Amino acid sequence: MFLKEYFGTIYKASKSLLTGMKLTGYYFFHPKEIQTHEYPDNRGTLKMADRFRGEVIMPHDANNEHRCTGCQACEIACPNGTIKIITKQEIQPDGKKKKRIDTFVYHLELCTMCNLCVVACPSDAIVMGQTFEHSVYDKKQLKKVLNKPGSKLMEGVE
Amino acid sequence: MRLLGDDILTEEGEFIINMGPQHPSTHGVLHLKIWLEGETIKRVQPHLGYIHRSIEKMSESLSYRNFIFATSRMDYLSAHMNNEACALAVEQGLEVEVPQRAKVIRTLMAELTRLSSHQLWWGCTGLDLGAVTPFFYAFREREAIMSIMEETCGARLTQNYMVPGGVMADLHPDFQKHTKEVLTQIKDKLHEYDEVLSGNVIFEQRTKGVGFLSKEDAISYGCTGPMARASGVSCDIRKLKPYSAYDQVQFEEILDTGGDCYARYMVRMAEMKQSVSIIEQLIDNIPEGDFQAKTKNVIKLPKGEFYQRVETARGELGVYLVSDGAASPYRIKYRSPNFSNLSALPHMAKGAKIGDLVAIMATIDLVIPDIDR
């Protein structure tokens, strides 16, 4: 009786090991079924999802115009103080003074990509970009100015 | 207690070693001080605080829309459920009716998160107990779920998808198609999990009868989630106090009476199947309509206290929110599942061997940032 149990345990143990080995052996000979991305090599074909949140960017059109009115809604919405907007008074052709953005400072090092600023923006001036390789050698390079030099507010955006 | 010699031997001749805070099997910065006699554990003392970021205090200075993002960093493997708990607590105060579509989306996302969390746990359990291969099989399915998250929510881990009133964005047009593909893939591959680990003789011997936690102890230590359910405590918030769309789906609460590491393992394996079934029931019945209820730009809650419980992948998360009528919370307290589950570790590890401690910790499924917050 004891011997039967003893050999039964050995049989069950070896069977369980072989079941596992059969599966791992299958994948050993079918390496393509385990999906791994060879990341730095596939940079050319790698496409991130449209909604992927990599960094905040401000799209400019062909005339170097953006849609940011400087309302600072994103600055208020940001939980970390990532965005700082410096505004200036600009004299319009008709002589009136109007508030325009001077610099749109974005601290990438503080950003958690929570998307709250993009949701808060009333004029769709900022969107999330799909870039994700943000490593730099100096942390000062992570402080970015989003509006391009010489850019203006787009016509019809208030 | 007075320490002798090199501070590693006590007067009774017990040997003190430190496990962590950077030990590979602690899954994070958990520091365990262990009193040993030979290889038998006499006492375990967890030391916390290595990853404390004062999320509760920080939330007091943030608005009701803004504080939710930080909870993704507590239990990062169930970020959706954490966000959902906060959103539900704020909605309780606002008394807004969440659209049906948003409720279903929330439930779908929470179950997908639970699946991915359990898969990571399964891989890591194998890793801790000396089996490296399961980790790769687990991450194959998990990667598919992560790409769904990336597609719809915009991030893989810290999604911040739940907002007060609903969800941040509508589902991606391909969401249903991709989710069905993932479900077929998972259902095809779940039997492999059992073949490679569950039935394995070495795994069984290392987990069966190890780290026993009785039903009474599980209740008195405040354990929740799969850990308490493996000891026979019925504590699934999805069943007891349904939120979101859990009252519209049929699923079983998995209970086991073993109370040991193997029972905890089997409960989670069965929960994966239940999650697949919940997603299957909902994926074809996503109602049309708004994905977000209209809320004011600046949310102000009425004076009072609000409490919301949800079932995360690790147990019950409670959000206790005190409002004084201002635009930011007066006080927030999170009742995190991992903190209570960890408190049972010294009890379970008493008298066990060092190798068993690793098995016990693996099956508690600790996420350290959730303990410290």
Side-chain angles (χ1 to χ4, degrees):
Chain A
M1 203 57 213
F2 170 75
L3 271 184
K4 201 179 167 189
E5 231 173 72
Y6 181 73
F7 284 110
T9 327
I10 292 180
Y11 171 72
K12 259 198 254 166
S14 354
K15 197 186 158 197
S16 78
L17 289 178
L18 284 175
T19 323
M21 296 277 270
K22 194 182 150 202
L23 184 73
T24 45
Y26 174 80
Y27 282 116
F28 183 72
F29 290 109
H30 297 76
K32 290 219 169 115
E33 287 189 29
I34 298 270
Q35 45 162 311
T36 45
H37 298 279
E38 290 163 355
Y39 160 58
D41 300 331
N42 68 352
R43 266 197 191 132
T45 52
L46 182 67
K47 197 186 168 298
M48 302 306 286
D50 295 336
R51 290 184 190 173
F52 179 75
R53 309 200 287 253
E55 61 169 334
V56 176
I57 50 170
M58 186 186 279
H60 288 61
D61 68 356
N63 304 329
N64 202 11
E65 289 174 341
H66 56 75
R67 297 175 65 90
C68 181
T69 56
C71 68
Q72 293 173 324
C74 50
E75 200 178 321
I76 297 161
C78 181
N80 308 313
T82 306
I83 295 169
K84 184 96 191 110
I85 298 175
I86 301 163
T87 53
K88 62 180 176 189
Q89 297 291 332
E90 212 172 67
I91 300 161
Q92 300 295 306
D94 54 358
K96 278 182 190 164
K97 271 188 183 174
K98 278 208 168 158
K99 194 170 92 171
R100 292 285 180 261
I101 59 165
D102 183 41
T103 38
F104 189 107
V105 185
Y106 168 57
H107 292 270
L108 183 58
E109 76 270 26
L110 300 177
C111 187
T112 59
M113 322 297 169
C114 66
N115 208 29
L116 289 169
C117 56
V118 177
V119 171
C121 184
S123 52
D124 300 330
I126 45 175
V127 291
M128 279 286 176
Q130 273 83 44
T131 50
F132 57 91
E133 292 167 321
H134 295 308
S135 55
V136 286
Y137 284 105
D138 188 359
K139 77 174 180 189
K140 280 178 196 150
Q141 290 168 30
L142 291 170
K143 181 184 164 188
K144 295 182 176 179
V145 175
L146 292 191
N147 55 329
K148 288 180 186 164
S151 59
K152 287 203 309 267
L153 181 67
M154 207 176 279
E155 285 289 315
V157 180
E158 271 313 316
Chain B
M1 185 184 296
R2 198 166 69 83
L3 299 174
L4 297 172
D6 300 321
D7 288 3
I8 52 166
L9 275 179
T10 61
E11 276 173 357
E12 295 86 43
E14 289 169 347
F15 186 58
I16 302 176
I17 63 162
N18 294 296
M19 195 167 171
Q22 291 290 350
H23 193 275
S25 78
T26 55
H27 298 231
V29 280
L30 179 67
H31 176 194
L32 296 177
K33 200 170 180 184
I34 309 169
W35 279 258
L36 291 170
E37 195 178 272
E39 211 185 321
T40 312
I41 294 166
K42 288 278 160 198
R43 194 148 79 90
V44 179
Q45 198 177 49
H47 284 196
L48 310 177
Y50 288 96
I51 191 161
H52 179 71
R53 291 146 299 169
S54 81
I55 287 178
E56 288 174 8
K57 188 73 190 167
M58 203 168 81
S59 302
E60 290 170 15
S61 59
L62 295 172
S63 78
Y64 284 108
R65 273 181 205 288
N66 291 3
F67 83 93
I68 296 175
F69 91 98
T71 56
S72 312
R73 274 102 185 145
M74 284 171 17
D75 184 353
Y76 48 79
L77 292 179
S78 19
H80 264 310
M81 287 90 123
N82 292 354
N83 294 346
E84 190 180 0
C86 297
L88 284 167
V90 175
E91 280 153 16
Q92 223 182 73
L94 278 177
E95 289 174 352
V96 289
E97 183 59 35
V98 180
Q100 197 58 35
R101 186 179 170 83
K103 281 186 185 175
V104 172
I105 293 176
R106 278 179 177 184
T107 312
L108 276 170
M109 286 301 178
E111 287 311 311
L112 280 173
T113 316
R114 196 184 311 277
L115 263 177
S116 74
S117 166
H118 282 356
Q119 272 158 359
L120 186 132
W121 157 82
W122 181 76
C124 289
T125 302
L127 209 59
D128 286 351
L129 298 178
V132 182
T133 322
F135 191 73
F136 296 101
Y137 296 172
F139 266 62
R140 172 187 56 194
E141 270 84 64
R142 189 167 182 271
E143 175 62 31
I145 297 176
M146 287 291 109
S147 17
I148 292 179
M149 294 288 175
E150 202 174 348
E151 192 181 65
T152 295
C153 318
R156 294 161 64 87
L157 212 56
T158 50
Q159 291 101 348
N160 192 30
Y161 187 57
M162 313 287 178
V163 293
V167 291
M168 192 180 258
D170 206 355
L171 288 175
H172 195 272
D174 291 338
F175 175 79
Q176 275 171 311
K177 198 182 109 205
H178 287 168
T179 308
K180 277 179 198 163
E181 282 170 15
V182 170
L183 285 187
T184 2
Q185 190 193 342
I186 290 174
K187 276 195 287 183
D188 278 356
K189 305 286 184 190
L190 267 181
H191 72 93
E192 289 185 354
Y193 290 27
D194 290 333
E195 278 171 28
V196 80
L197 201 57
S198 312
N200 190 291
V201 59
I202 301 169
F203 179 76
E204 278 186 3
Q205 287 185 354
R206 284 201 65 181
T207 50
K208 273 190 180 165
V210 171
F212 178 74
L213 184 72
S214 68
K215 188 175 179 178
E216 289 73 31
D217 285 333
I219 294 172
S220 71
Y221 279 110
C223 298
T224 45
M227 188 172 157
R229 288 199 282 279
S231 300
V233 185
S234 164
C235 60
D236 198 330
I237 310 294
R238 296 176 290 171
K239 274 269 187 227
L240 299 176
K241 209 167 179 293
Y243 54 94
S244 291
Y246 283 113
D247 47 355
Q248 302 162 21
V249 287
Q250 304 291 320
F251 66 99
E252 274 176 49
E253 181 181 359
I254 311 292
L255 286 176
D256 203 316
T257 45
D260 57 356
C261 288
Y262 195 71
R264 290 194 278 276
Y265 174 88
M266 289 319 272
V267 164
R268 288 205 180 88
M269 294 305 277
E271 269 192 12
M272 276 196 231
K273 291 188 185 112
Q274 292 301 320
S275 291
V276 170
S277 134
I278 293 174
I279 299 168
E280 269 178 342
Q281 289 171 43
L282 289 175
I283 190 69
D284 283 321
N285 310 316
I286 305 176
E288 293 296 315
D290 290 338
F291 57 88
Q292 204 177 336
K294 285 239 159 11
T295 43
K296 279 183 189 158
N297 252 347
V298 179
I299 296 177
K300 279 187 183 170
L301 294 199
K303 235 179 197 173
E305 297 169 3
F306 310 100
Y307 188 70
Q308 178 66 43
R309 317 194 281 171
V310 300
E311 181 78 17
T312 73
R314 266 150 215 83
E316 174 190 335
L317 172 79
V319 178
Y320 176 63
L321 208 154
V322 184
S323 164
D324 60 350
S328 50
Y330 178 75
R331 175 83 169 93
I332 281 188
K333 167 90 180 92
Y334 297 113
R335 181 248 180 254
S336 68
N338 284 299
F339 185 79
S340 310
N341 287 355
L342 174 74
S343 68
L345 174 74
H347 173 74
M348 286 194 290
K350 210 171 191 176
K353 301 272 190 281
I354 281 265
D356 297 341
L357 181 69
V358 176
I360 295 168
M361 285 214 308
T363 47
I364 299 179
D365 192 11
L366 291 172
V367 167
I368 315 301
D370 194 33
I371 299 171
D372 286 344
R373 300 188 290 284

